[in-house]
Amino acid sequence: MLATQLKYDLLMFSREVFYMFFTIIIPPVTYIFMGQLYGEMTYDHGLNYAQSYTPSFILLITFTVIFFAFGFDQVNHRITGVEKRIRLSPVPKNILLASSILRAIIITTLGYLMILSIGLVMYDLSFVLLDMFSSYAFFIAMNIVLLIMASAIYSLFDNINSALVFSILIMQIVIFTGGFAQPINLMPNFIQVSAKLNPLYHMNNMFIDVWNGQLSLTIETILAGSYIGVLLFVSVLIIRFMHRRKI
């Protein structure tokens, strides 16, 4: 039953032009475009463009897939009545939830492999098997964190237009304050300050370190992990509160 539902969910995602454009097309094209502009630059810790921005764009795809195709879908189903019909369907709710989560992880993994392939072919990205395993494990952990955060955030919306505007707006904010457009230290001061409040900024920095085998237990890493942990805890509380309201 799970396999059938998952196949259906993946098929429905592939038919959503809006989702495909923002999640599967824009990030890889931007990755290639920026590589042509900044491919010769050297970044923090002596990293080149591919070492620094390959994990960044993998994370960007992960964010867009989860927030649009998972979080926004929750609002869409709730407003259009699909959620009520699902509750009355013979398919168990746990199967539907598991299918949605697996769909997100499968699509983000395809994004992971796509960006990795572009880096290997176009930007001579080095391939270290052990680092790839640790990077993918961290990538799965980020998927879980973002799935919980997205579920909490979108549970607060009761209007599909508001959710859509929020999704587009938050994507722009994340791109500029998460270090995906250009290094934060080159941005204006107010963006540098705002970046500290963006969990994607901290995830991005840690993912780059993990990707390049440079992650170490520093005060900055501990503070970043603690901040993400607090947001994760708050997200769980919001989900539980909103669930109790519906009962």
Side-chain angles (χ1 to χ4, degrees):
M1 185 178 291
L2 177 59
T4 302
Q5 184 62 39
L6 179 59
K7 180 181 178 181
Y8 171 78
D9 285 344
L10 289 171
L11 180 62
M12 293 303 296
F13 176 85
S14 67
R15 292 178 177 177
E16 289 286 349
V17 178
F18 179 78
Y19 293 162
M20 293 290 290
F21 182 76
F22 277 100
T23 62
I24 303 300
I25 298 175
I26 290 295
V29 170
T30 307
Y31 175 65
I32 295 171
F33 176 73
M34 286 186 62
Q36 302 305 307
L37 294 178
Y38 306 115
E40 302 301 321
M41 290 181 61
T42 300
Y43 298 85
D44 291 343
H45 308 296
L47 302 178
N48 59 31
Y49 173 79
Q51 291 171 316
S52 183
Y53 275 92
T54 300
S56 292
F57 276 90
I58 289 173
L59 177 57
L60 183 60
I61 286 180
T62 303
F63 166 77
T64 54
V65 167
I66 289 175
F67 270 67
F68 278 99
F70 180 78
F72 181 75
D73 252 9
Q74 289 186 354
V75 182
N76 189 26
H77 289 169
R78 191 161 60 247
I79 300 303
T80 57
V82 172
E83 188 177 276
K84 290 183 179 179
R85 291 196 295 272
I86 287 175
R87 290 176 182 174
L88 298 175
S89 71
V91 182
K93 185 177 180 181
N94 289 339
I95 293 292
L96 295 170
L97 179 60
S99 177
S100 297
I101 292 172
L102 287 174
R103 177 188 63 172
I105 292 177
I106 288 172
I107 296 169
T108 55
T109 298
L110 291 175
Y112 180 107
L113 296 174
M114 179 167 52
I115 296 295
L116 174 62
S117 300
I118 294 172
L120 291 171
V121 173
M122 296 189 64
Y123 302 117
D124 297 322
L125 181 67
S126 59
F127 183 88
V128 180
L129 188 59
L130 183 60
D131 288 343
M132 287 298 112
F133 279 126
S134 59
S135 297
Y136 188 74
F138 189 81
F139 162 80
I140 293 298
M142 290 192 301
N143 267 268
I144 295 170
V145 170
L146 289 174
L147 281 165
I148 294 172
M149 289 184 177
S151 183
I153 291 171
Y154 284 95
S155 69
L156 302 174
F157 286 94
D158 291 320
N159 184 286
I160 194 168
N161 291 328
S162 299
L164 179 59
V165 171
F166 169 81
S167 300
I168 296 173
L169 180 61
I170 199 67
M171 183 176 179
Q172 304 305 313
I173 293 174
V174 163
I175 288 174
F176 284 103
T177 64
F180 301 103
Q182 60 177 316
I184 291 297
N185 57 7
L186 300 179
M187 303 288 273
N189 287 333
F190 76 94
I191 292 184
Q192 294 186 36
V193 173
S194 301
K196 303 296 183 181
L197 301 175
N198 181 2
L200 271 295
Y201 166 76
H202 301 289
M203 289 185 191
N204 188 21
N205 287 337
M206 287 193 288
F207 193 27
I208 291 172
D209 288 342
V210 171
W211 184 275
N212 295 287
Q214 297 181 344
L215 185 66
S216 58
L217 196 61
T218 63
I219 294 297
E220 184 177 354
T221 304
I222 293 172
L223 289 175
S226 299
Y227 178 60
I228 293 171
V230 169
L231 293 181
L232 188 60
F233 178 72
V234 173
S235 297
V236 171
L237 291 180
I238 292 173
I239 292 172
R240 294 185 64 180
F241 174 75
M242 297 304 293
H243 177 71
R244 287 176 179 175
R245 279 188 58 187
K246 295 177 183 177
I247 297 176

